[in-house]
Amino acid sequence: MLVKLMVFLPLLAALVAGLGNRMIGDFAAKLMTTGALFVSAVIAWFIFALYLTGLGVPQVVPVLDWIHSGDMHVDWALRIDALTAVMLVVITTVSSLVHLYSWGYMAEDDGQPRFFAYLSLFTFAMLMLVTADSLVQMFFGWEGVGLASYLLIGFWYKKPSANAAAIKAFVVNRIGDFGFSLGIFGTFLVFGTISIPAILAAAPGMAGSTIGFLSLRVDTMTLLCLLLFVGAMGKSAQLGLHTWLPDAMEGPTPVSALIHAATMVTAGVFMVCRLSPMFVTSEVAMHVVTYVGAATAFFAATVGTTQTDIKRVIAYSTCSQLGYMFMAAGVGAFGGAMFHLFTHAFFKALLFLGAGSVIHAMHHEQDMRFYGGLRKHIPMTFWAMMAGTLAITGVGVSEVFGFAGFYSKDAIIEASFARGATAGGVAFAVGVFAALLTSFYSWRVMFLTFWGTPRWAGSEHIRHAVQHQHDDPAAEGQGSDPRPVKTIEGTAGYHPHESPWSMLVPLALLSLGAVFAGFAFRDVLLDPERGAEFWRASIAFDAGLMHRMHEVPLLVSLSATIAMIAGLAIAWLAYVRERDIPARFVAAFGPLYRFLLNKWYFDELYDLMFVRPAFAIGRLLWKGGDEGTIDRFGPDGAAALVAGGSRLAVRLQSGYLYTYALVMLIGLSAAATWAITR
């Protein structure tokens, strides 16, 4: 009963808030949806605690009969095991805190019931995905989060860029979902079932078999795993299908934290780990996962070093960290992938919501070039983002204490080295280099935002806000709000303000996760013996690899820490000590800088390869096919024929009796002539 309550409460709240909307009012909608999520979070933590203490037992909770068609039987059921328990904690905790945070962030929006309904709908879809007992049910949740993300990214539908970003996310994910659906079809064809436990039990027996595909004989498990992985690439924004993720920042900041930091984008990682017994049967598939993850981690980290929009930097950071997770899965460290997913949820949601607090203080200005010196104005936000930065960069001392990323990210790097072979070596090298870049761009955000002298004089957003307050006498003296002096020029007298408690409380709670999540759960999730007991075959946990991971050389263990220190030093030198270094770098390496600033020109390349040809084909079919052929010879042609006939008939209708008599005589003469000559 508790499991059903946890899963369906968000759906019930979404329906009431969405359908009730203005009738129930903003406060009731927010209270109902937020309260439902906190109840679900409490239940999720209780389930997680059972597995941590060894009392949790894998179970399947039936809901109802769903689809019975031929050999396919799909019963709607909720599968609960250790893997699900980890995801339940991530989803409900982050979602409940995002709901609470949105009380303050969206306080002035006139569509609050709709927004909170979308948030809860998204959470329900994500819960359906991770509790799925069959591939069809997983696909239901998979598409549900796609729909909800479309609604949330395009929430400000009057903003053209938000609409474009929502459509882009939807379309790009459809490409990945097409591969995922083919993988589900193929899996049902091979195994005769879409029940996940039945498939995983039978997967080892299919190793080495072949199947026909596109007139070729290919390895069965390799084909199925690669098709399924295409879906993971789309949902988790891996290189090639990543272009939707940065543009999705057009949605409200709470959406960024919920969708792109901790839940939707991790769905692909969860799916690969859930189906890990399938993936380990194909060495080729594992190598593909490793190399795609490594390429994504490298690509996104390089792009993050040049972006000026604070949310886009964090978005590319998410993309890079997802690459780490797939690298871990590719080398067989599925426990490491899930551990990093778990810790990443706390510190990445913290960074996104912290960025939202900065944006809130800066009147929606997102360009870091117009920040500076904010640690004195918004100290609580500063310390929250400091905790998130220490976590993502992996600050810690072995055997003493470390922030969340110190344990999870370092574990991936060590596992890659322990795996050996070419794929493991590539993952290790990329992991260390990406750690250096992660440290650099993360501290770059901190230094540009919170250190130095204020630079917001060039911000149009702040100038507009200050002028608005100057013009409105009633705006002065409103507590913590900025209070410009009466004789202002530009942004003189502007004072950034700290966020309300509804935004600061989630930051404080997420800070606890960013600080302690790695230290508290490392032994349970990664230790060879305790980890094997915790996961209990919910993933393909390689205890041998975990043993070797703890026995790597000291230099390997220190490599991520050395990279972190190097990245911090470079960022401090460039943005605190000698601030002309970035300008000198751009002048010396202009082409490289523009290449990274324009995100490797993926958008331009896709526009040239796909968007323009698609528009050209569309115009051809529209102008030449629809208008030039169908309309011309169809409705327009018929209408023209009728109109021409009507005009001719009108000319024959003179209204004079003798004219009609003449026509009748001519007709009779013609008929008589025909009869005689016949």
Side-chain angles (χ1 to χ4, degrees):
M1 182 63 187
L2 284 178
V3 173
K4 293 182 179 179
L5 185 66
M6 173 188 63
V7 172
F8 289 104
L9 261 181
L11 175 63
L12 178 62
L15 291 174
V16 173
L19 298 178
N21 208 310
R22 298 182 186 277
M23 183 173 63
I24 64 174
D26 294 349
F27 180 78
K30 293 189 292 187
L31 183 64
M32 177 171 296
T33 53
T34 307
L37 259 298
F38 272 96
V39 171
S40 293
V42 170
I43 298 173
W45 276 100
F46 173 73
I47 295 172
F48 184 55
L50 291 178
Y51 283 93
L52 289 176
T53 56
L55 300 177
V57 178
Q59 59 177 314
V60 176
V61 180
V63 178
L64 50 83
D65 294 339
W66 195 12
I67 301 172
H68 288 184
S69 177
D71 295 332
M72 187 175 73
H73 299 276
V74 183
D75 294 326
W76 198 345
L78 308 177
R79 180 176 181 81
I80 305 297
D81 57 14
L83 179 62
T84 307
V86 171
M87 292 301 298
L88 292 177
V89 166
V90 168
I91 295 165
T92 57
T93 301
V94 172
S95 183
S96 59
L97 294 177
V98 166
H99 274 72
L100 179 59
Y101 181 92
S102 300
W103 280 56
Y105 194 87
M106 303 295 290
E108 298 179 0
D109 199 285
D110 59 0
Q112 292 180 61
R114 179 168 59 92
F115 180 76
F116 280 83
Y118 289 168
L119 289 181
S120 295
L121 177 64
F122 173 89
T123 306
F124 165 72
M126 196 68 200
L127 291 174
M128 289 304 307
L129 191 158
V130 301
T131 58
D133 190 46
S134 69
L135 291 178
V136 171
Q137 186 177 330
M138 182 182 288
F139 191 73
F140 170 79
W142 194 273
E143 294 302 303
V145 294
L147 169 64
S149 67
Y150 170 80
L151 296 173
L152 286 168
I153 295 169
F155 175 75
W156 287 324
Y157 57 87
K158 295 181 181 179
K159 184 180 177 183
S161 59
N163 285 325
I167 294 172
K168 186 175 184 179
F170 199 80
V171 171
V172 173
N173 273 275
R174 296 291 69 72
I175 298 171
D177 294 351
F178 178 68
F180 187 42
S181 61
L182 288 181
I184 295 175
F185 298 152
T187 301
F188 178 69
L189 175 66
V190 171
F191 293 99
T193 180
I194 42 79
S195 170
I196 293 176
I199 293 169
L200 300 185
M206 294 303 299
S209 63
T210 61
I211 189 174
F213 182 71
L214 299 178
S215 302
L216 300 172
R217 297 299 299 182
V218 297
D219 183 81
T220 302
M221 297 309 297
T222 298
L223 174 65
L224 297 181
C225 291
L226 291 181
L227 288 173
L228 294 169
F229 181 60
V230 171
M233 288 179 63
K235 199 65 71 181
S236 294
Q238 293 301 282
L239 188 64
L241 296 178
H242 68 281
T243 54
W244 66 271
L245 183 63
D247 289 358
M249 298 303 104
E250 291 292 339
T253 299
V255 173
S256 303
L258 179 62
I259 298 180
H260 310 115
T263 49
M264 174 179 165
V265 293
T266 60
V269 180
F270 165 79
M271 185 267 287
V272 171
C273 291
R274 169 63 83 197
L275 303 180
S276 54
M278 289 181 65
F279 279 82
V280 296
T281 62
S282 170
E283 184 178 4
V284 173
M286 294 290 280
H287 285 171
V288 169
V289 174
T290 303
Y291 290 130
V292 170
T296 304
F298 174 77
F299 155 77
T302 60
V303 174
T305 61
T306 60
Q307 301 303 300
T308 57
D309 185 315
I310 187 172
K311 287 174 64 176
R312 284 185 178 267
V313 175
I314 302 174
Y316 278 107
S317 172
T318 299
C319 194
S320 182
Q321 298 304 308
L322 289 166
Y324 270 102
M325 298 175 204
F326 280 112
M327 281 196 299
V331 300
F334 295 101
M338 289 305 303
F339 184 38
H340 194 50
L341 185 156
F342 180 77
T343 60
H344 175 264
F346 294 103
F347 62 71
K348 188 50 63 68
L350 174 61
L351 288 171
F352 262 119
L353 296 185
S357 185
V358 172
I359 295 168
H360 182 268
M362 299 298 289
H363 278 284
H364 304 290
E365 178 59 72
Q366 297 181 196
D367 194 328
M368 296 183 295
R369 292 173 296 183
F370 301 126
Y371 291 170
L374 287 177
R375 71 183 188 277
K376 299 176 182 178
H377 298 279
I378 47 175
M380 297 184 69
T381 299
F382 163 71
W383 285 112
M385 289 201 69
M386 177 62 76
T389 301
L390 294 172
I392 192 174
T393 57
V395 174
V397 178
S398 182
E399 305 302 330
V400 180
F401 179 78
F403 291 82
F406 174 75
Y407 297 102
S408 59
K409 186 167 62 176
D410 287 23
I412 294 174
I413 293 173
E414 293 168 1
S416 299
F417 182 88
R419 170 58 66 189
T422 303
V426 170
F428 169 74
V430 172
V432 173
F433 183 66
L436 185 151
L437 296 180
T438 299
S439 179
F440 171 77
Y441 66 64
S442 297
W443 288 110
R444 173 176 174 262
V445 168
M446 293 298 292
F447 293 145
L448 283 175
T449 303
F450 296 105
W451 268 266
T453 57
R455 300 181 301 276
W456 49 73
S459 170
E460 291 290 339
H461 293 80
I462 296 176
R463 279 207 297 267
H464 175 75
V466 170
Q467 189 61 49
H468 174 72
Q469 280 202 329
H470 177 61
D471 293 341
D472 181 10
E476 293 197 29
Q478 295 179 356
S480 62
D481 285 346
R483 290 177 293 172
V485 295
K486 296 222 174 190
T487 56
I488 63 170
E489 291 182 12
T491 58
Y494 176 76
H495 301 289
H497 56 98
E498 189 61 275
S499 300
W501 70 266
S502 59
M503 295 171 64
L504 295 177
V505 169
L507 292 181
L509 295 176
L510 288 170
S511 296
L512 294 176
V515 174
F516 297 109
F519 180 79
F521 300 107
R522 55 174 178 159
D523 291 336
V524 177
L525 302 182
L526 286 183
D527 184 77
E529 286 75 28
R530 295 187 65 185
E533 175 65 21
F534 174 81
W535 293 112
R536 292 187 188 178
S538 61
I539 60 174
F541 186 78
D542 190 340
L545 178 62
M546 295 297 103
H547 271 295
R548 298 195 301 276
M549 182 189 78
H550 290 93
E551 298 170 355
V552 297
L554 179 61
L555 184 60
V556 173
S557 297
L558 294 176
S559 59
T561 299
I562 295 172
M564 177 273 296
I565 295 173
L568 168 60
I570 296 171
W572 177 82
L573 186 65
Y575 295 98
V576 177
R577 180 67 181 274
E578 299 182 29
R579 297 178 185 173
D580 62 335
I581 288 180
R584 283 158 36 200
F585 177 87
V586 172
F589 301 97
L592 175 61
Y593 173 76
R594 288 188 293 273
F595 180 71
L596 299 180
L597 183 65
N598 288 282
K599 302 153 290 191
W600 290 26
Y601 292 101
F602 266 100
D603 284 321
E604 290 79 3
L605 180 63
Y606 285 177
D607 182 67
L608 183 64
M609 292 177 58
F610 304 114
V611 177
R612 293 185 186 181
F615 273 101
I617 294 172
R619 282 192 296 269
L620 175 64
L621 295 176
W622 170 33
K623 294 294 185 180
D626 194 15
E627 292 186 349
T629 304
I630 297 175
D631 287 350
R632 179 182 178 186
F633 296 103
D636 290 350
L641 183 62
V642 171
S646 299
R647 286 192 295 272
L648 180 61
V650 166
R651 295 180 64 183
L652 294 176
Q653 300 298 319
S654 65
Y656 295 108
L657 181 61
Y658 57 79
T659 302
Y660 299 144
L662 176 61
V663 172
M664 292 173 63
L665 287 174
I666 293 174
L668 289 174
S669 300
T673 303
W674 176 80
I676 295 172
T677 58
R678 187 181 175 202

